[in-house]
Amino acid sequence: DLISKIGEKITLRRSIFFGNDKSINFSYIHSSLKRNVGKLGVLISINTTKQKKEITELGKQLAMQVASSSPLAIDRDDLDQNILKKEKEIITEELKNTGKDTKIVEKIAIGKLNKFVADNTLLNQDWIMEPKKKVKDVINEVAGKDKIQIEKFIRFKVGEGL
């Protein structure tokens, strides 16, 4: 129906399904053109023992965090090992060219790799609302004695991956 209205071929290029039987899903649309239409969209699925109304604000803020900081994974264990290996090779090569001692290069490389992990894993990122805190700290504060666990997230940006 939309194809006939605008005269353009429309192809669905990416999709993902988030069930809501055991988790609560939140979304965020950045640069919203109109309701549920924008240039960047995020879905995040949270498993929790809390009621949805208790974590609605957190869910929205976590989706905004994903939109603004583009994490590659939830935590270090979820990161693709090939990415870590490649990043370590790049860092090590870069440091070898400085002419520093091998032991020093190795220590600096470990520090830079840890920084890469912190920047690219959601739970280890600085919280956009309060940069002195990590995302995992904010989740733990809101959870209290209850459980809040991020199951998965997806970030779609117009034109990304072409």
Side-chain angles (χ1 to χ4, degrees):
D1 191 38
L2 186 60
I3 295 171
S4 64
K5 284 183 181 176
I6 62 172
E8 292 287 333
K9 181 181 176 189
I10 299 172
T11 307
L12 186 62
R13 194 166 54 86
R14 299 176 288 183
S15 68
I16 192 165
F17 176 76
F18 281 27
N20 63 354
D21 51 333
K22 295 183 181 172
S23 57
I24 303 170
N25 300 325
F26 297 94
S27 64
Y28 173 70
I29 305 291
H30 186 70
S31 300
S32 184
L33 304 172
K34 56 183 171 180
R35 184 169 156 72
N36 293 327
V37 177
K39 296 185 183 228
L40 181 116
V42 173
L43 280 174
I44 189 164
S45 183
I46 298 174
N47 188 340
T48 183
T49 53
K50 286 190 170 284
Q51 295 297 312
K52 183 174 182 173
K53 64 182 179 191
E54 295 178 276
I55 63 162
T56 300
E57 188 65 26
L58 176 68
K60 176 100 172 152
Q61 289 175 346
L62 284 169
M64 289 171 67
Q65 174 83 27
V66 171
S68 71
S69 58
S70 308
L72 300 174
I74 295 171
D75 209 352
R76 185 184 188 113
D77 298 337
D78 304 319
L79 262 177
D80 184 350
Q81 293 305 309
N82 293 330
I83 292 174
L84 282 176
K85 187 177 173 184
K86 184 97 174 148
E87 192 64 27
K88 186 173 183 178
E89 288 172 10
I90 291 168
I91 291 168
T92 305
E93 253 336 283
E94 191 179 281
L95 291 170
K96 280 182 182 176
N97 294 335
T98 62
K100 293 184 179 176
D101 184 47
T102 312
K103 289 180 181 177
I104 294 172
V105 165
E106 194 61 36
K107 284 183 180 180
I108 295 172
I110 289 169
K112 285 191 174 225
L113 193 60
N114 288 339
K115 174 76 170 128
F116 174 82
V117 169
D119 289 345
N120 289 287
T121 55
L122 180 57
L123 293 177
N124 298 301
Q125 289 179 337
D126 293 334
W127 182 240
I128 56 171
M129 306 294 174
E130 206 175 321
K132 291 181 180 180
K133 293 182 179 179
K134 299 285 183 195
V135 171
K136 62 183 167 190
D137 299 331
V138 173
I139 291 172
N140 289 336
E141 282 176 20
V142 173
K145 294 179 182 176
D146 292 309
K147 178 186 105 173
I148 297 177
Q149 180 181 349
I150 299 171
E151 292 294 316
K152 58 185 172 179
F153 68 85
I154 189 73
R155 181 182 185 271
F156 285 138
K157 185 175 182 181
V158 172
E160 193 174 66
L162 289 177

